[in-house]
Amino acid sequence: FHEWIGDKWAILFSHPADFTPVCTTELGAFAKLKPEFDRRGVKMIGLSANDLNSHDKWIADINDISHTTLSFPIIADPTRQIAWTYDMVDAQDTTNVDEKGIAFTIRSVFVIDPAKKIRLTMMYPASAGRNTAEVLRVVDALQTGDKKGVTTPIDWVPGEDVIVPPTVATEDARKKFGDVREVRP
């Protein structure tokens, strides 16, 4: 997995099962946003609790329903070994199992930086779809913070004001960033 990531950012997102309606819409949405993730140097990889044969059929279904071309890999995890290892299993509802009696995964998102550090996790219940725009926004915020040494306020999007950490004196911030608006001394 680390070799696949290389020197890029990565997003790993899990799905309870192939062909579920919510998962299908999510993968279609991520496929449509792939050029935006590519522009930011982010590789995407999905994980679903079915085998590769099922994935191939599901990808065709996703492409048809979403009018897109899914072009990132999906990990096959039919035994949920990866899901259990990375705490992607629905601990609140272990009765939510497949025909083999194995617990389904929840919708997890991991944002991983080029140093292979998990920078963000988001966990959604199986009943709620993710917000792909929020995943992209968080990548922008993390990358901006790393590049500029700043933090981002709630609902921040590129082009809006950022926050200079309180550990940086106002004069030092002005030297580094130029025009600085001081809200609180």
Side-chain angles (χ1 to χ4, degrees):
F1 184 62
H2 283 188
E3 288 177 19
W4 175 81
I5 293 173
D7 62 352
K8 304 282 186 186
W9 286 75
I11 295 175
L12 167 64
F13 44 97
S14 65
H15 299 273
D18 294 0
F19 296 98
T20 60
V22 175
C23 297
T24 299
T25 62
E26 288 179 342
L27 281 168
F30 275 111
K32 287 178 179 179
L33 279 177
K34 186 175 184 303
E36 290 298 320
F37 285 101
D38 289 346
R39 244 180 9 96
R40 292 157 172 84
V42 178
K43 296 173 108 175
M44 294 189 293
I45 190 164
L47 177 141
S48 187
N50 296 92
D51 61 31
L52 290 177
N53 289 332
S54 178
H55 286 357
D56 289 340
K57 294 173 189 161
W58 186 34
I59 289 168
D61 190 57
I62 292 164
N63 290 340
D64 181 51
I65 288 172
S66 300
H67 308 289
T68 191
T69 302
L70 193 147
S71 61
F72 50 81
I74 302 173
I75 299 166
D77 190 25
T79 64
R80 316 299 192 278
Q81 179 180 352
I82 297 167
W84 281 106
T85 301
Y86 291 95
D87 201 23
M88 298 178 194
V89 176
D90 188 352
Q92 292 183 8
D93 186 6
T94 54
T95 62
N96 185 13
V97 297
D98 67 8
E99 67 278 356
K100 297 175 191 167
I102 302 173
F104 280 111
T105 61
I106 54 177
R107 291 184 170 82
S108 299
V109 179
F110 296 88
V111 177
I112 304 162
D113 71 15
K116 317 305 183 279
K117 292 183 181 169
I118 295 173
R119 298 287 295 278
L120 174 93
T121 60
M122 291 188 274
M123 307 293 183
Y124 292 75
S127 61
R130 287 172 269 225
N131 182 327
T132 54
E134 172 61 5
V135 176
L136 190 61
R137 187 197 75 79
V138 166
V139 167
D140 285 337
L142 290 169
Q143 290 181 344
T144 297
D146 287 359
K147 185 177 179 182
K148 306 275 185 178
V150 296
T151 59
T152 56
I154 187 168
D155 297 329
W156 176 88
V157 293
E160 292 183 351
D161 286 349
V162 296
I163 299 169
V164 176
T167 56
V168 178
T170 302
E171 284 309 310
D172 292 337
R174 285 190 175 104
K175 288 177 190 170
K176 183 174 181 178
F177 300 111
D179 186 30
V180 173
R181 181 174 57 95
E182 186 175 22
V183 176
R184 294 275 190 263

mmCIF file of all heavy atoms in Angstrom, residues 13 24-38 44 55-74:
data_model
loop_
_atom_site.group_PDB
_atom_site.id
_atom_site.type_symbol
_atom_site.label_atom_id
_atom_site.label_comp_id
_atom_site.label_asym_id
_atom_site.label_seq_id
_atom_site.Cartn_x
_atom_site.Cartn_y
_atom_site.Cartn_z
ATOM 1 N N PHE A 13 -11.163 4.866 1.074
ATOM 2 C CA PHE A 13 -12.537 4.920 1.569
ATOM 3 C C PHE A 13 -13.171 3.546 1.433
ATOM 4 O O PHE A 13 -12.992 2.852 0.444
ATOM 5 C CB PHE A 13 -13.370 6.005 0.878
ATOM 6 C CG PHE A 13 -13.207 6.083 -0.613
ATOM 7 C CD1 PHE A 13 -14.098 5.459 -1.458
ATOM 8 C CD2 PHE A 13 -12.156 6.796 -1.163
ATOM 9 C CE1 PHE A 13 -13.948 5.533 -2.836
ATOM 10 C CE2 PHE A 13 -11.992 6.874 -2.537
ATOM 11 C CZ PHE A 13 -12.897 6.240 -3.383
ATOM 12 N N THR A 24 -22.779 2.951 -4.504
ATOM 13 C CA THR A 24 -22.729 3.185 -5.945
ATOM 14 C C THR A 24 -22.707 4.678 -6.254
ATOM 15 O O THR A 24 -21.914 5.139 -7.080
ATOM 16 C CB THR A 24 -23.913 2.480 -6.633
ATOM 17 O OG1 THR A 24 -23.810 1.074 -6.380
ATOM 18 C CG2 THR A 24 -23.919 2.726 -8.127
ATOM 19 N N THR A 25 -23.561 5.444 -5.562
ATOM 20 C CA THR A 25 -23.573 6.893 -5.815
ATOM 21 C C THR A 25 -22.277 7.546 -5.342
ATOM 22 O O THR A 25 -21.777 8.477 -5.986
ATOM 23 C CB THR A 25 -24.781 7.577 -5.139
ATOM 24 O OG1 THR A 25 -24.702 7.413 -3.716
ATOM 25 C CG2 THR A 25 -26.092 7.020 -5.655
ATOM 26 N N GLU A 26 -21.736 7.057 -4.233
ATOM 27 C CA GLU A 26 -20.483 7.634 -3.721
ATOM 28 C C GLU A 26 -19.332 7.397 -4.691
ATOM 29 O O GLU A 26 -18.579 8.325 -5.013
ATOM 30 C CB GLU A 26 -20.138 7.029 -2.365
ATOM 31 C CG GLU A 26 -21.020 7.498 -1.252
ATOM 32 C CD GLU A 26 -20.666 6.864 0.075
ATOM 33 O OE1 GLU A 26 -19.978 5.818 0.108
ATOM 34 O OE2 GLU A 26 -21.057 7.438 1.090
ATOM 35 N N LEU A 27 -19.170 6.163 -5.134
ATOM 36 C CA LEU A 27 -18.060 5.876 -6.044
ATOM 37 C C LEU A 27 -18.216 6.631 -7.357
ATOM 38 O O LEU A 27 -17.227 7.099 -7.934
ATOM 39 C CB LEU A 27 -17.933 4.373 -6.282
ATOM 40 C CG LEU A 27 -17.233 3.649 -5.133
ATOM 41 C CD1 LEU A 27 -17.379 2.151 -5.251
ATOM 42 C CD2 LEU A 27 -15.768 4.019 -5.073
ATOM 43 N N GLY A 28 -19.448 6.781 -7.819
ATOM 44 C CA GLY A 28 -19.680 7.589 -9.015
ATOM 45 C C GLY A 28 -19.266 9.037 -8.795
ATOM 46 O O GLY A 28 -18.636 9.658 -9.659
ATOM 47 N N ALA A 29 -19.589 9.580 -7.629
ATOM 48 C CA ALA A 29 -19.220 10.962 -7.317
ATOM 49 C C ALA A 29 -17.707 11.118 -7.193
ATOM 50 O O ALA A 29 -17.126 12.091 -7.702
ATOM 51 C CB ALA A 29 -19.913 11.409 -6.031
ATOM 52 N N PHE A 30 -17.041 10.171 -6.529
ATOM 53 C CA PHE A 30 -15.583 10.240 -6.432
ATOM 54 C C PHE A 30 -14.946 10.121 -7.819
ATOM 55 O O PHE A 30 -13.979 10.821 -8.122
ATOM 56 C CB PHE A 30 -15.034 9.154 -5.498
ATOM 57 C CG PHE A 30 -15.030 9.534 -4.048
ATOM 58 C CD1 PHE A 30 -15.886 8.914 -3.150
ATOM 59 C CD2 PHE A 30 -14.163 10.495 -3.555
ATOM 60 C CE1 PHE A 30 -15.886 9.252 -1.800
ATOM 61 C CE2 PHE A 30 -14.150 10.849 -2.212
ATOM 62 C CZ PHE A 30 -15.018 10.229 -1.336
ATOM 63 N N ALA A 31 -15.495 9.253 -8.669
ATOM 64 C CA ALA A 31 -14.958 9.105 -10.027
ATOM 65 C C ALA A 31 -15.059 10.419 -10.797
ATOM 66 O O ALA A 31 -14.135 10.800 -11.520
ATOM 67 C CB ALA A 31 -15.687 7.982 -10.765
ATOM 68 N N LYS A 32 -16.182 11.121 -10.633
ATOM 69 C CA LYS A 32 -16.349 12.400 -11.323
ATOM 70 C C LYS A 32 -15.390 13.465 -10.798
ATOM 71 O O LYS A 32 -14.982 14.356 -11.542
ATOM 72 C CB LYS A 32 -17.797 12.884 -11.178
ATOM 73 C CG LYS A 32 -18.757 12.084 -12.025
ATOM 74 C CD LYS A 32 -20.180 12.550 -11.829
ATOM 75 C CE LYS A 32 -21.128 11.757 -12.713
ATOM 76 N NZ LYS A 32 -22.531 12.174 -12.533
ATOM 77 N N LEU A 33 -15.025 13.383 -9.520
ATOM 78 C CA LEU A 33 -14.097 14.357 -8.935
ATOM 79 C C LEU A 33 -12.625 13.960 -9.086
ATOM 80 O O LEU A 33 -11.745 14.715 -8.669
ATOM 81 C CB LEU A 33 -14.406 14.551 -7.449
ATOM 82 C CG LEU A 33 -15.549 15.500 -7.115
ATOM 83 C CD1 LEU A 33 -15.793 15.543 -5.612
ATOM 84 C CD2 LEU A 33 -15.258 16.907 -7.627
ATOM 85 N N LYS A 34 -12.362 12.813 -9.683
ATOM 86 C CA LYS A 34 -10.979 12.335 -9.786
ATOM 87 C C LYS A 34 -10.036 13.381 -10.404
ATOM 88 O O LYS A 34 -8.924 13.568 -9.892
ATOM 89 C CB LYS A 34 -10.886 11.020 -10.543
ATOM 90 C CG LYS A 34 -9.470 10.441 -10.515
ATOM 91 C CD LYS A 34 -9.406 9.076 -11.154
ATOM 92 C CE LYS A 34 -8.027 8.451 -11.044
ATOM 93 N NZ LYS A 34 -6.947 9.239 -11.603
ATOM 94 N N PRO A 35 -10.430 14.098 -11.465
ATOM 95 C CA PRO A 35 -9.513 15.125 -11.991
ATOM 96 C C PRO A 35 -9.127 16.183 -10.950
ATOM 97 O O PRO A 35 -7.992 16.662 -10.941
ATOM 98 C CB PRO A 35 -10.297 15.752 -13.153
ATOM 99 C CG PRO A 35 -11.265 14.688 -13.572
ATOM 100 C CD PRO A 35 -11.634 13.963 -12.302
ATOM 101 N N GLU A 36 -10.060 16.531 -10.060
ATOM 102 C CA GLU A 36 -9.746 17.502 -9.004
ATOM 103 C C GLU A 36 -8.752 16.920 -7.996
ATOM 104 O O GLU A 36 -7.832 17.607 -7.547
ATOM 105 C CB GLU A 36 -11.023 17.950 -8.284
ATOM 106 C CG GLU A 36 -11.916 18.816 -9.126
ATOM 107 C CD GLU A 36 -11.239 20.123 -9.537
ATOM 108 O OE1 GLU A 36 -10.531 20.723 -8.697
ATOM 109 O OE2 GLU A 36 -11.406 20.524 -10.697
ATOM 110 N N PHE A 37 -8.948 15.644 -7.628
ATOM 111 C CA PHE A 37 -8.004 15.000 -6.721
ATOM 112 C C PHE A 37 -6.638 14.850 -7.398
ATOM 113 O O PHE A 37 -5.599 15.078 -6.775
ATOM 114 C CB PHE A 37 -8.545 13.648 -6.243
ATOM 115 C CG PHE A 37 -9.638 13.769 -5.221
ATOM 116 C CD1 PHE A 37 -10.966 13.609 -5.575
ATOM 117 C CD2 PHE A 37 -9.342 14.066 -3.893
ATOM 118 C CE1 PHE A 37 -11.977 13.724 -4.629
ATOM 119 C CE2 PHE A 37 -10.345 14.188 -2.943
ATOM 120 C CZ PHE A 37 -11.668 14.025 -3.310
ATOM 121 N N ASP A 38 -6.631 14.491 -8.687
ATOM 122 C CA ASP A 38 -5.370 14.375 -9.433
ATOM 123 C C ASP A 38 -4.615 15.704 -9.431
ATOM 124 O O ASP A 38 -3.396 15.727 -9.255
ATOM 125 C CB ASP A 38 -5.634 13.955 -10.887
ATOM 126 C CG ASP A 38 -6.086 12.513 -11.022
ATOM 127 O OD1 ASP A 38 -5.957 11.722 -10.064
ATOM 128 O OD2 ASP A 38 -6.588 12.170 -12.123
ATOM 129 N N MET A 44 -6.668 7.959 -5.161
ATOM 130 C CA MET A 44 -7.842 7.409 -4.480
ATOM 131 C C MET A 44 -7.856 5.903 -4.619
ATOM 132 O O MET A 44 -7.474 5.355 -5.663
ATOM 133 C CB MET A 44 -9.123 7.979 -5.083
ATOM 134 C CG MET A 44 -9.291 9.450 -4.847
ATOM 135 S SD MET A 44 -10.919 10.054 -5.345
ATOM 136 C CE MET A 44 -10.871 9.839 -7.101
ATOM 137 N N HIS A 55 -16.433 -6.763 -8.019
ATOM 138 C CA HIS A 55 -15.990 -5.384 -8.260
ATOM 139 C C HIS A 55 -16.076 -5.033 -9.745
ATOM 140 O O HIS A 55 -16.529 -3.953 -10.109
ATOM 141 C CB HIS A 55 -14.561 -5.171 -7.785
ATOM 142 C CG HIS A 55 -14.379 -5.100 -6.297
ATOM 143 N ND1 HIS A 55 -15.404 -5.157 -5.395
ATOM 144 C CD2 HIS A 55 -13.246 -4.962 -5.571
ATOM 145 C CE1 HIS A 55 -14.922 -5.065 -4.170
ATOM 146 N NE2 HIS A 55 -13.607 -4.946 -4.250
ATOM 147 N N ASP A 56 -15.625 -5.950 -10.615
ATOM 148 C CA ASP A 56 -15.660 -5.678 -12.058
ATOM 149 C C ASP A 56 -17.078 -5.392 -12.530
ATOM 150 O O ASP A 56 -17.319 -4.450 -13.289
ATOM 151 C CB ASP A 56 -15.065 -6.851 -12.843
ATOM 152 C CG ASP A 56 -13.558 -6.963 -12.679
ATOM 153 O OD1 ASP A 56 -12.905 -5.957 -12.298
ATOM 154 O OD2 ASP A 56 -13.017 -8.057 -12.934
ATOM 155 N N LYS A 57 -18.024 -6.190 -12.094
ATOM 156 C CA LYS A 57 -19.430 -5.985 -12.477
ATOM 157 C C LYS A 57 -19.973 -4.698 -11.859
ATOM 158 O O LYS A 57 -20.736 -3.963 -12.486
ATOM 159 C CB LYS A 57 -20.264 -7.191 -12.053
ATOM 160 C CG LYS A 57 -19.903 -8.460 -12.794
ATOM 161 C CD LYS A 57 -20.634 -9.654 -12.220
ATOM 162 C CE LYS A 57 -20.070 -10.930 -12.846
ATOM 163 N NZ LYS A 57 -20.394 -12.102 -12.051
ATOM 164 N N TRP A 58 -19.571 -4.448 -10.624
ATOM 165 C CA TRP A 58 -20.048 -3.254 -9.931
ATOM 166 C C TRP A 58 -19.524 -1.990 -10.598
ATOM 167 O O TRP A 58 -20.259 -1.008 -10.749
ATOM 168 C CB TRP A 58 -19.629 -3.313 -8.461
ATOM 169 C CG TRP A 58 -20.161 -2.228 -7.587
ATOM 170 C CD1 TRP A 58 -21.373 -1.598 -7.672
ATOM 171 C CD2 TRP A 58 -19.504 -1.638 -6.469
ATOM 172 N NE1 TRP A 58 -21.514 -0.660 -6.679
ATOM 173 C CE2 TRP A 58 -20.368 -0.674 -5.911
ATOM 174 C CE3 TRP A 58 -18.271 -1.851 -5.852
ATOM 175 C CZ2 TRP A 58 -20.046 0.087 -4.805
ATOM 176 C CZ3 TRP A 58 -17.954 -1.102 -4.754
ATOM 177 C CH2 TRP A 58 -18.830 -0.141 -4.229
ATOM 178 N N ILE A 59 -18.270 -1.994 -11.012
ATOM 179 C CA ILE A 59 -17.698 -0.825 -11.682
ATOM 180 C C ILE A 59 -18.492 -0.503 -12.944
ATOM 181 O O ILE A 59 -18.792 0.662 -13.225
ATOM 182 C CB ILE A 59 -16.194 -1.031 -11.978
ATOM 183 C CG1 ILE A 59 -15.411 -0.987 -10.659
ATOM 184 C CG2 ILE A 59 -15.670 0.016 -12.958
ATOM 185 C CD1 ILE A 59 -13.968 -1.448 -10.765
ATOM 186 N N ALA A 60 -18.871 -1.530 -13.704
ATOM 187 C CA ALA A 60 -19.695 -1.299 -14.899
ATOM 188 C C ALA A 60 -21.032 -0.675 -14.504
ATOM 189 O O ALA A 60 -21.531 0.242 -15.182
ATOM 190 C CB ALA A 60 -19.906 -2.610 -15.653
ATOM 191 N N ASP A 61 -21.603 -1.134 -13.412
ATOM 192 C CA ASP A 61 -22.871 -0.591 -12.917
ATOM 193 C C ASP A 61 -22.712 0.868 -12.473
ATOM 194 O O ASP A 61 -23.548 1.718 -12.795
ATOM 195 C CB ASP A 61 -23.364 -1.466 -11.758
ATOM 196 C CG ASP A 61 -24.773 -1.144 -11.319
ATOM 197 O OD1 ASP A 61 -25.688 -1.196 -12.164
ATOM 198 O OD2 ASP A 61 -24.962 -0.843 -10.121
ATOM 199 N N ILE A 62 -21.638 1.153 -11.748
ATOM 200 C CA ILE A 62 -21.350 2.525 -11.297
ATOM 201 C C ILE A 62 -21.219 3.448 -12.499
ATOM 202 O O ILE A 62 -21.820 4.536 -12.539
ATOM 203 C CB ILE A 62 -20.058 2.570 -10.455
ATOM 204 C CG1 ILE A 62 -20.253 1.839 -9.125
ATOM 205 C CG2 ILE A 62 -19.599 4.014 -10.224
ATOM 206 C CD1 ILE A 62 -18.958 1.503 -8.421
ATOM 207 N N ASN A 63 -20.442 3.022 -13.487
ATOM 208 C CA ASN A 63 -20.230 3.844 -14.678
ATOM 209 C C ASN A 63 -21.546 4.122 -15.400
ATOM 210 O O ASN A 63 -21.786 5.239 -15.855
ATOM 211 C CB ASN A 63 -19.231 3.178 -15.614
ATOM 212 C CG ASN A 63 -17.823 3.178 -15.052
ATOM 213 O OD1 ASN A 63 -17.482 3.952 -14.165
ATOM 214 N ND2 ASN A 63 -16.990 2.290 -15.564
ATOM 215 N N ASP A 64 -22.396 3.110 -15.489
ATOM 216 C CA ASP A 64 -23.677 3.266 -16.165
ATOM 217 C C ASP A 64 -24.602 4.201 -15.397
ATOM 218 O O ASP A 64 -25.163 5.150 -15.959
ATOM 219 C CB ASP A 64 -24.335 1.891 -16.349
ATOM 220 C CG ASP A 64 -25.668 1.982 -17.062
ATOM 221 O OD1 ASP A 64 -25.730 2.608 -18.144
ATOM 222 O OD2 ASP A 64 -26.656 1.422 -16.541
ATOM 223 N N ILE A 65 -24.753 3.975 -14.118
ATOM 224 C CA ILE A 65 -25.672 4.777 -13.298
ATOM 225 C C ILE A 65 -25.191 6.216 -13.159
ATOM 226 O O ILE A 65 -25.980 7.154 -13.227
ATOM 227 C CB ILE A 65 -25.866 4.120 -11.917
ATOM 228 C CG1 ILE A 65 -26.717 2.864 -12.073
ATOM 229 C CG2 ILE A 65 -26.497 5.083 -10.912
ATOM 230 C CD1 ILE A 65 -26.821 2.015 -10.834
ATOM 231 N N SER A 66 -23.892 6.391 -12.961
ATOM 232 C CA SER A 66 -23.342 7.730 -12.682
ATOM 233 C C SER A 66 -22.860 8.465 -13.926
ATOM 234 O O SER A 66 -22.389 9.603 -13.813
ATOM 235 C CB SER A 66 -22.186 7.619 -11.680
ATOM 236 O OG SER A 66 -22.656 7.063 -10.482
ATOM 237 N N HIS A 67 -22.898 7.809 -15.076
ATOM 238 C CA HIS A 67 -22.432 8.424 -16.331
ATOM 239 C C HIS A 67 -20.995 8.908 -16.169
ATOM 240 O O HIS A 67 -20.677 10.086 -16.376
ATOM 241 C CB HIS A 67 -23.350 9.569 -16.764
ATOM 242 C CG HIS A 67 -24.787 9.181 -16.815
ATOM 243 N ND1 HIS A 67 -25.288 8.329 -17.782
ATOM 244 C CD2 HIS A 67 -25.828 9.491 -16.006
ATOM 245 C CE1 HIS A 67 -26.585 8.138 -17.562
ATOM 246 N NE2 HIS A 67 -26.937 8.828 -16.480
ATOM 247 N N THR A 68 -20.130 7.997 -15.756
ATOM 248 C CA THR A 68 -18.736 8.334 -15.508
ATOM 249 C C THR A 68 -17.876 7.144 -15.891
ATOM 250 O O THR A 68 -18.386 6.116 -16.357
ATOM 251 C CB THR A 68 -18.527 8.706 -14.020
ATOM 252 O OG1 THR A 68 -17.226 9.267 -13.858
ATOM 253 C CG2 THR A 68 -18.715 7.527 -13.092
ATOM 254 N N THR A 69 -16.581 7.263 -15.711
ATOM 255 C CA THR A 69 -15.651 6.155 -15.892
ATOM 256 C C THR A 69 -14.792 6.070 -14.647
ATOM 257 O O THR A 69 -13.914 6.906 -14.421
ATOM 258 C CB THR A 69 -14.757 6.375 -17.136
ATOM 259 O OG1 THR A 69 -15.602 6.532 -18.276
ATOM 260 C CG2 THR A 69 -13.824 5.197 -17.336
ATOM 261 N N LEU A 70 -15.076 5.097 -13.814
ATOM 262 C CA LEU A 70 -14.310 4.907 -12.584
ATOM 263 C C LEU A 70 -12.935 4.374 -12.966
ATOM 264 O O LEU A 70 -12.827 3.351 -13.638
ATOM 265 C CB LEU A 70 -15.033 3.927 -11.668
ATOM 266 C CG LEU A 70 -14.513 3.861 -10.240
ATOM 267 C CD1 LEU A 70 -15.652 3.580 -9.288
ATOM 268 C CD2 LEU A 70 -13.440 2.828 -10.078
ATOM 269 N N SER A 71 -11.886 5.075 -12.536
ATOM 270 C CA SER A 71 -10.526 4.697 -12.950
ATOM 271 C C SER A 71 -9.549 4.643 -11.786
ATOM 272 O O SER A 71 -8.369 4.904 -11.957
ATOM 273 C CB SER A 71 -10.027 5.662 -14.029
ATOM 274 O OG SER A 71 -9.989 6.985 -13.524
ATOM 275 N N PHE A 72 -10.046 4.312 -10.600
ATOM 276 C CA PHE A 72 -9.144 4.080 -9.478
ATOM 277 C C PHE A 72 -9.427 2.684 -8.932
ATOM 278 O O PHE A 72 -10.501 2.127 -9.146
ATOM 279 C CB PHE A 72 -9.288 5.162 -8.390
ATOM 280 C CG PHE A 72 -10.697 5.425 -7.941
ATOM 281 C CD1 PHE A 72 -11.320 4.605 -7.004
ATOM 282 C CD2 PHE A 72 -11.406 6.488 -8.462
ATOM 283 C CE1 PHE A 72 -12.610 4.849 -6.588
ATOM 284 C CE2 PHE A 72 -12.698 6.743 -8.054
ATOM 285 C CZ PHE A 72 -13.310 5.919 -7.123
ATOM 286 N N PRO A 73 -8.471 2.088 -8.243
ATOM 287 C CA PRO A 73 -8.644 0.704 -7.786
ATOM 288 C C PRO A 73 -9.618 0.582 -6.614
ATOM 289 O O PRO A 73 -9.844 1.534 -5.864
ATOM 290 C CB PRO A 73 -7.235 0.284 -7.357
ATOM 291 C CG PRO A 73 -6.498 1.557 -7.114
ATOM 292 C CD PRO A 73 -7.141 2.625 -7.948
ATOM 293 N N ILE A 74 -10.183 -0.615 -6.499
ATOM 294 C CA ILE A 74 -11.029 -0.975 -5.356
ATOM 295 C C ILE A 74 -10.453 -2.256 -4.771
ATOM 296 O O ILE A 74 -10.341 -3.275 -5.463
ATOM 297 C CB ILE A 74 -12.494 -1.198 -5.761
ATOM 298 C CG1 ILE A 74 -13.069 0.050 -6.430
ATOM 299 C CG2 ILE A 74 -13.327 -1.577 -4.536
ATOM 300 C CD1 ILE A 74 -14.466 -0.150 -7.016
#
